[in-house]
Amino acid sequence: MSTYTRRRLTDAPFLAAATGATPTRRPVWFMRQAGRSLPEYRELRKGIGMLESCFDPELVCEITMQPIRRHGVDAAILFSDIVVPLKAAGIDLDIVPGVGPVVASPVRTAADVHALPRLRPEEVGAVAEGVRLLTDALGDTPLIGFAGAPFTLASYLVEGGPSKHHERTKAMMHADPQTWHALLGALTDITIAFLQAQLAAGVDAVQLFDSWAGALSLADYREYVLPHSERVFAEVAAAGVPRIHFGVGTGELLGAMGEAGADVVGVDWRVPLTDAVRRVGPGKGLQGNLDPAILFAGFDAVEKETRRIVREADEAITMGASGHIFNLGHGVLPDTDPGVLTALVELVHSL
């Protein structure tokens, strides 16, 4: 940690809800709120690659700020990508438009794992500088830093890119557990280093995205994934900021994900918040969980679903959840009308 003095944002609704205090209004932000749904983002990114954008502090700051200005959300999330620390450490990969992260040399053997680089803080210095610019620009709005969880990063490295079935990943897990845990250990080190760099620069909360954990059974998650995610949360606990854990299709894993050490558990749209609180257990905040596709159904449908989720969230709090942060059940889809998101923020704030 640096000697950076973190901003004191005692009245921020997002931080209040995340820490079990009573917010002045129900906080709302959206995963992927900065990005392709905004025309100003598309204009700014013309001719600039995704990873190039993520290592340009001024671009990181401007893109992160865009949804704050447009929507009035209660938190900013750092514009980055879960593969940024892998790229920074020296792994040969690129984000291919329409495909996603593609790894030049997939990691399949113990020798491949042994050859993986470590991440040094200076290699993500551009990201840290982007955070410092944002803490100056955001005023009283909290900034969420984030990283990909070790399992999701491992899936990209082993498969060589996005995968529907994660067959090579699961094969390594079961056929060669020793190599698997060595891989997850190396990626846990990278994830911790990336989050600590963001924390040292001044982020006010962190979110760990285990995007592909929903592909696993509960037994596999507990044996092959949970110990490594636990270490991530434990190593950043000393920063004293809220920690959020999120995955897609993880309804059967919510209890175990709650055990990993986060203060807030993100819930996708498949599980009602009243069920989520039973699975996660009392004493943790919940985040979610409007289906992003509902945003295409007209505002009457959006309002109906939003009011349902808010009712369920209030009931979940009576059942032991420590707070609720309104969000989508996954990221904003690229063709979403930004005006609908702005109206949704106003609706949530009114409830």
Side-chain angles (χ1 to χ4, degrees):
M1 289 295 148
S2 74
T3 55
Y4 175 85
T5 302
R6 200 173 309 284
R7 296 181 296 162
R8 290 181 59 82
L9 303 175
T10 51
D11 295 327
F14 165 80
L15 293 176
T19 56
T22 302
T24 54
R25 65 187 184 195
R26 189 179 307 267
V28 51
W29 70 279
F30 306 116
M31 291 178 280
R32 292 192 189 140
Q33 62 189 17
R36 291 173 291 176
S37 65
L38 300 182
E40 57 266 41
Y41 169 84
R42 294 194 296 270
E43 182 65 29
L44 191 64
R45 276 278 321 279
K46 277 183 180 174
I48 305 173
M50 176 64 183
L51 283 171
E52 183 183 349
S53 303
C54 293
F55 286 95
D56 182 322
E58 286 76 19
L59 264 183
V60 166
C61 181
E62 172 58 24
I63 292 170
T64 303
M65 290 295 299
Q66 287 176 346
I68 306 302
R69 299 189 197 107
R70 181 184 273 266
H71 302 314
V73 286
D74 294 293
I77 185 163
L78 181 70
F79 175 73
S80 188
D81 190 273
I82 62 172
V83 299
V84 160
L86 303 182
K87 180 74 172 180
I91 294 170
D92 188 0
L93 60 82
D94 196 10
I95 298 175
V96 178
V99 178
V102 175
V103 179
S105 300
V107 175
R108 304 269 169 82
T109 67
D112 294 337
V113 172
H114 184 72
L116 285 173
R118 297 295 185 259
L119 178 67
R120 300 190 304 273
E122 60 268 24
E123 292 170 328
V124 287
V127 176
E129 179 59 24
V131 170
R132 286 188 283 269
L133 293 174
L134 280 160
T135 58
D136 288 339
L138 279 166
D140 294 333
T141 303
L143 175 62
I144 305 167
F146 78 90
F151 170 77
T152 289
L153 296 181
S155 174
Y156 282 118
L157 288 181
V158 175
E159 303 292 339
S163 172
K164 285 185 178 180
H165 305 294
H166 308 276
E167 60 268 33
R168 292 185 179 90
T169 306
K170 293 180 181 182
M172 178 190 286
M173 200 184 280
H174 286 275
D176 192 353
Q178 185 174 350
T179 296
W180 171 259
H181 284 294
L183 171 59
L184 268 282
L187 293 173
T188 298
D189 291 341
I190 288 174
T191 297
I192 291 166
F194 189 44
L195 289 175
Q196 287 180 335
Q198 295 174 54
L199 287 162
V203 298
D204 305 292
V206 291
Q207 177 157 313
L208 190 68
F209 284 87
D210 214 348
S211 308
W212 304 131
L216 298 173
S217 69
L218 178 58
D220 283 354
Y221 179 83
R222 284 193 175 280
E223 182 171 355
Y224 299 110
V225 177
L226 180 58
H228 304 282
S229 295
E230 283 179 324
R231 185 157 71 89
V232 173
F233 285 118
E235 289 288 333
V236 300
V241 307
R243 298 159 296 169
I244 308 170
H245 202 8
F246 174 75
V248 186
T250 51
E252 297 303 318
L253 310 180
L254 285 174
M257 290 179 73
E259 294 169 20
D263 306 291
V264 179
V265 177
V267 184
D268 78 7
W269 66 93
R270 298 169 177 88
V271 179
L273 295 177
T274 44
D275 287 351
V277 69
R278 293 187 186 97
R279 299 179 191 187
V280 171
K284 293 186 182 292
L286 298 178
Q287 181 172 275
N289 65 338
L290 181 68
D291 186 340
I294 298 294
L295 299 174
F296 293 82
F299 201 73
D300 286 349
V302 172
E303 180 171 2
K304 177 183 175 185
E305 286 296 292
T306 298
R307 289 182 180 276
R308 175 186 63 79
I309 288 164
V310 165
R311 286 194 303 270
E312 290 174 356
D314 288 344
E315 186 178 348
I317 289 172
T318 67
M319 296 167 67
S322 61
H324 175 239
I325 299 162
F326 194 96
N327 207 311
L328 303 179
H330 196 201
V332 175
L333 297 170
D335 294 328
T336 303
D337 178 356
V340 174
L341 287 172
T342 303
L344 175 55
V345 172
E346 293 170 355
L347 172 61
V348 172
H349 285 164
S350 75
L351 298 176

